[in-house]
């Protein structure tokens, strides 16, 4: 069905690239249409019960219109998000700038892996703007009650013991209202109402950032860039999944389907959903590294000017590695006792360690390690899994209760006995996940399978062995510094990693023969068609990439709006 609607710009996707573009173009007075496949998540809209979590995945053909979009390729898995705000809904809020010396310029023709057509200096003003808009500030470790956050203190201690550089990275989390001391659970005062029209609270330290923040404490994109874009007139259409795109006499034409709420929970023939059509002078793809690359691969026949050989190349998992510091112990009065790390207390990431690169004058490829967290319910699951080991405590409690019941014990207060049932809670309280990321080699290649239906990824762990070995050695040292064992089963036993930072596929390049888009995000050979998201990275960002994606999009917007 043709709607005949025409806009100045259509933006596909509302992650860090799309949200920045939507705001910048709406602010400049452009008529903007934003198409986002996922739903909107107001405070308390994120599922928590097992029943609702079961449907919190993305596969509309199976009746799933939820947030987690999980991919499994040959040697690597990937997790991305579907929803208004993209990856910001489930990200861990860390906003770091790409290291100055890591904007590598290698000769691709001579076996090099990456060639960045932008520099840190180019991005500096855009980083400033994005940080301000996203409300970046470090975890307030100097203030109570944050100062007693066990995992942060243990991580800091371990770094000091092992001679590593530790710091508190900027986080997109509201810990306080402007000019006030940080305090958990305070209503946040906003200059303009957010697009959900709901009150947010300052961070309650619940460790649930990665499953959606129900208190609205994360400065996710729906509360800043997208709220502003909407206020300035952008038309935001959720549940709208783009299927195809093609050049049009008025610029570009986009076809999309609308996923109806009524279809949730039951398999649907999504291929036969009616197509909506809109046109725009400029089209900006911001569907993420996997999403934008997939859309361009699927529609490459309509885009003959594009460098089809470069499309899909330069994939990087940003060197992601998830491991565990397991069962931390400390010496106390000559005894080895569990060290409380309380991984669920605080935002998911609070602090970071940076390990330098050969480009900084050290040896090897550089990386970051960050403390992580999981939601509290995971602790209960761990405790339950340990239940058989606590049988003796259960029997002791049963004996005390029976003794009281039959008058053998006069003490009618069972509080202490109930408390004892928990044991020392060591399994759930003395382990902490660690996240590593850095400068892996971006040699992965995405393509479509033979039927042209599914996305494939050719990526090898072998090429990354020295990089991951160095990272693992450092993580082992950090775990040791916390008195914990180091666990990394997935990489060693399964020879697989999982990335939450997929990048590349539509790499930037100055030379049209070396990439898909130019240094301002415009597709080589197709004027007015832009890509603004993680797919344009010609290599790993190194640190968490969202701020760099936002800064690049801000730079692209400057060029797009230039007279
Ligand atoms: C658990 C987790 C923790 C993370 N923590 C951090 C962190 O602390 N710091 C950091 O910098 N990064 C973090 N990240 C990574 C970060 O979320 C991503 O790098 C970032 O969101 C990528 O931005 P983007 O604009 O490229 O795309 P995305 O944010 O992925 O946005 C793409 C959007 O496009 C939509 N879309 C896709 N296809 C279509 C289509 N066909 N039609 C319409 N819409 C479509 C998607 O639904 C999505 O909303 C984390 C990620 C995860 C999963």
């Amino acid at each position: 069905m043709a709607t005949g609607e025409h806009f100045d710009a259509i933006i596909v996707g509302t992650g860090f690239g799309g949200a920045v573009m939507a705001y910048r173009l709406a602010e400049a007075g452009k008529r903007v249409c934003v198409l986002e496949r996922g739903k909107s998540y107001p405070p308390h809209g994120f599922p928590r019960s097992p029943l609702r979590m079961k449907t919190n995945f993305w596969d509309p053909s199976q009746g799933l219109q939820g947030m987690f979009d999980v991919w499994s390729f040959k040697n690597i898995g990937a997790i991305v998000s579907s929803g208004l705000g993209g990856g910001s809904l489930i990200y861990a809020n860390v906003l770091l700038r790409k290291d100055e010396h890591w904007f590598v310029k290698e000769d691709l023709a001579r076996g090099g892996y990456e060639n960045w057509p932008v520099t840190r200096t180019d991005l500096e003003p855009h980083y400033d703007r994005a940080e301000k808009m996203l409300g970046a500030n470090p975890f307030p470790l100097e203030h109570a009650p944050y100062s007693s956050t066990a995992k942060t203190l243990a991580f800091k201690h371990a770094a000091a013991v092992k001679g590593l550089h530790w710091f508190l990275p900027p986080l997109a989390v509201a810990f306080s209202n402007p000019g006030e001391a940080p305090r958990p659970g305070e209503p946040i005062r906003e200059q303009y109402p957010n697009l959900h029209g709901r009150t947010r609270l300052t961070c309650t330290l619940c460790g649930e950032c990665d499953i959606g923040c129900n208190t609205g404490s994360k400065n996710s994109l729906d509360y800043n860039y997208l709220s502003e874009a909407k206020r300035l007139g952008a038309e935001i259409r959720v549940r709208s999944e783009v299927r195809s795109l093609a050049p049009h006499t008025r610029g570009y034409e986009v076809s999309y389907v609308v996923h109806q709420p009524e279809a949730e929970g039951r398999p649907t023939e999504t291929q036969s959903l009616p197509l909506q059509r809109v046109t725009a002078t400029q089209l900006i793809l911001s569907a993420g590294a996997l999403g934008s690359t997939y859309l361009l691969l699927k529609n490459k026949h309509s885009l003959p000017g594009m460098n089809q050989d470069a499309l899909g190349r330069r994939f990087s998992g940003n060197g992601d590695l998830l491991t565990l510091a397991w069962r931390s112990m400390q010496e106390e009065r000559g005894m080895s006792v569990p060290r409380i790390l309380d991984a669920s207390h605080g935002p998911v990431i609070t602090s970071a360690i940076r390990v330098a690169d050969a480009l900084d004058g050290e040896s090897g490829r550089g990386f970051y390690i960050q403390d992580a967290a999981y939601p509290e319910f995971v602790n209960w699951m761990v405790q339950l899994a340990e239940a058989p080991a606590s049988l003796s405590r259960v029997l002791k409690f049963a004996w005390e209760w029976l003794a009281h019941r039959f008058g053998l014990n006069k003490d009618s207060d069972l509080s202490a006995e109930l408390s004892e049932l928990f044991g020392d809670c060591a399994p759930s309280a003395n382990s902490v996940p660690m996240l590593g990321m850095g400068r892996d080699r971006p040699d992965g290649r995405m393509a479509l399978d033979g039927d042209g239906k599914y996305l494939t990824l050719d990526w090898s762990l072998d090429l990354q062995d020295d990089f991951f070995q160095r990272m693992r050695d450092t993580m082992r040292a950090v775990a040791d510094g916390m008195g914990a064992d180091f666990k990394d089963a997935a990489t060693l036993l399964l020879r697989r990693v999982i990335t939450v930072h997929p990048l590349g596929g539509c790499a930037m390049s100055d030379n049209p023969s070396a990439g898909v888009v130019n240094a301002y995000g415009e597709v080589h050979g197709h004027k007015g068609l832009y890509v603004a998201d993680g797919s344009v990275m010609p290599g790993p960002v190194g640190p968490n990439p969202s701020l760099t994606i936002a800064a690049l999009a801000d730079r692209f917007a400057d060029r797009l709006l230039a007279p």
Side-chain angles (χ1 to χ4, degrees), residues 12-18 35-38 79-83 85-88 90-94 210 240-242 286-289 291 295 349 500-501 532-535 544-547 549:
V12 181
T14 56
F16 286 85
L35 300 172
E36 166 56 53
R37 65 179 178 169
I79 303 175
V80 296
S81 162
S82 177
S88 77
I90 57 173
Y91 88 143
N93 321 301
V94 177
D210 287 351
S240 302
E241 184 178 15
V242 171
S286 298
L295 277 174
I349 292 171
V500 294
H501 304 129
D533 57 27
S535 70
N544 325 57
S546 298
L547 188 68
I549 297 170

Side-chain angles (χ1 to χ4, degrees), residues 295-306 308 311 526:
L295 277 174
L296 286 179
L297 284 166
K298 204 81 187 133
N299 293 281
K300 66 180 183 184
H301 300 301
S302 315
L303 302 165
M306 184 172 60
Q308 311 218 341
L311 183 62
H526 282 279

Side-chain angles (χ1 to χ4, degrees), residues 119-434:
T119 64
R120 170 77 173 250
T121 312
D122 293 333
L123 287 189
E124 222 64 275
H126 307 286
Y127 275 134
D128 289 346
R129 276 199 255 184
E131 266 192 356
K132 193 162 171 233
M133 195 77 174
L134 291 165
N137 60 156
F139 183 62
L141 190 61
E142 72 282 14
H143 291 270
Y146 314 90
S147 49
S148 57
T149 306
K151 65 169 183 150
T152 318
L153 298 175
F155 212 64
K156 183 179 180 185
H157 169 78
V161 170
K162 301 293 176 182
L164 295 164
H165 170 58
W166 175 94
F167 65 101
L168 293 169
L171 303 178
V173 177
F175 295 106
S176 64
N177 279 302
E180 292 178 7
R183 232 187 338 245
E186 290 287 307
I188 296 173
R189 291 190 297 278
E190 294 178 302
Q191 190 183 1
Y192 300 105
N194 58 66
L195 60 73
H196 303 293
R198 298 276 295 276
T199 303
R200 308 166 54 197
L201 300 180
T202 55
C203 177
T204 58
L205 306 169
C206 67
E208 296 182 0
C209 316
D210 287 351
I211 55 171
C213 177
N214 264 335
T215 47
S217 317
K218 282 172 63 163
N219 299 330
S220 50
L221 296 161
D222 45 341
Y223 293 120
N224 36 68
Y225 281 106
L226 294 168
S227 281
E228 278 299 281
K230 186 167 181 204
R231 192 178 66 80
L232 294 165
E235 177 153 347
I236 299 180
R237 300 179 182 174
V238 292
R239 296 178 180 275
S240 302
E241 184 178 15
V242 171
R243 284 283 164 77
S244 65
L245 55 113
H248 183 270
T249 47
R250 303 188 76 184
Y252 290 90
E253 182 184 67
V254 166
S255 304
Y256 66 98
V257 296
V258 179
H259 297 292
Q260 301 296 344
E262 306 80 61
E264 284 198 58
R266 60 181 161 80
T268 306
E269 194 41 73
T270 50
Q271 287 311 317
S272 55
L273 286 173
L275 286 176
Q276 314 286 318
R277 293 201 170 88
V278 276
T279 57
T281 314
Q282 276 150 338
L283 171 60
I284 297 117
L285 300 182
S286 298
L290 305 183
S292 289
T293 307
Y294 177 77
L295 277 174
L296 286 179
L297 284 166
K298 204 81 187 133
N299 293 281
K300 66 180 183 184
H301 300 301
S302 315
L303 302 165
M306 184 172 60
N307 180 345
Q308 311 218 341
D309 183 56
L311 183 62
R313 290 187 189 268
R314 310 265 152 240
F315 174 90
S316 153
N318 205 40
D320 280 13
L321 185 67
L322 175 63
T323 63
L324 198 61
W326 178 245
R327 298 206 174 212
S328 176
M329 307 295 269
Q330 61 187 348
E331 297 300 318
E332 242 174 44
R333 285 184 244 114
M335 288 157 59
S336 212
V337 296
R339 180 198 297 267
I340 303 305
L341 294 176
D342 210 359
S344 302
H345 181 80
V348 162
I349 292 171
T350 59
S351 70
I353 288 168
R354 179 181 186 273
V355 175
D357 190 286
L359 298 163
D360 308 307
E362 302 270 321
S363 60
R365 301 178 80 87
F367 55 86
Y368 287 78
I369 301 173
Q370 295 163 356
D371 62 77
Y374 37 74
E376 198 69 74
F377 66 76
V378 175
N379 280 331
W380 287 100
M381 287 159 66
V382 173
Q383 279 300 130
L384 279 176
E386 290 278 318
S390 61
L391 188 63
S392 60
R393 294 200 300 269
V394 176
L395 290 174
K396 183 165 179 275
F397 175 79
W399 168 250
E400 301 276 352
W401 184 78
L402 284 171
H404 170 69
R405 185 95 171 71
F406 293 105
L408 301 172
N409 180 355
K410 300 277 180 252
D411 182 359
S412 51
D413 187 344
L414 280 179
S415 307
E417 286 78 4
L418 270 171
S419 163
E420 243 184 76
L421 264 180
F422 283 79
D424 59 8
C425 296
S428 59
N430 69 346
S431 300
V432 70
M434 295 186 286

Side-chain angles (χ1 to χ4, degrees), residues 46-105:
F46 296 101
R48 287 297 183 265
S49 69
L51 180 66
R52 293 190 62 217
M53 206 53 108
K54 177 182 151 69
T55 56
N56 196 18
F57 295 91
W58 178 257
D59 189 347
S61 65
Q62 298 304 311
L64 299 168
Q65 298 182 24
M67 192 170 59
F68 291 101
D69 189 8
V70 183
W71 297 73
S72 177
F73 303 109
K74 202 163 142 216
N75 300 309
I76 189 168
I79 303 175
V80 296
S81 162
S82 177
L84 187 64
S88 77
L89 298 173
I90 57 173
Y91 88 143
N93 321 301
V94 177
L95 295 176
L96 284 172
R97 298 182 186 208
K98 181 174 169 67
D99 305 67
E100 187 181 348
H101 298 124
W102 295 11
F103 288 83
V104 188
K105 281 191 183 297

Side-chain angles (χ1 to χ4, degrees), residues 75-76 106 108 111-114 312-318 365 440-446 457-464 503-505 537-540:
N75 300 309
I76 189 168
E106 291 170 344
L108 304 182
Y113 290 101
E114 43 183 320
R313 290 187 189 268
R314 310 265 152 240
F315 174 90
S316 153
N318 205 40
R365 301 178 80 87
D440 65 356
R441 293 177 181 85
D443 87 321
R445 182 171 190 184
M446 288 179 268
L457 169 59
D458 185 11
W459 183 87
S460 160
L461 194 56
D462 299 346
L463 189 68
Q464 320 291 351
L503 298 171
M537 304 294 160

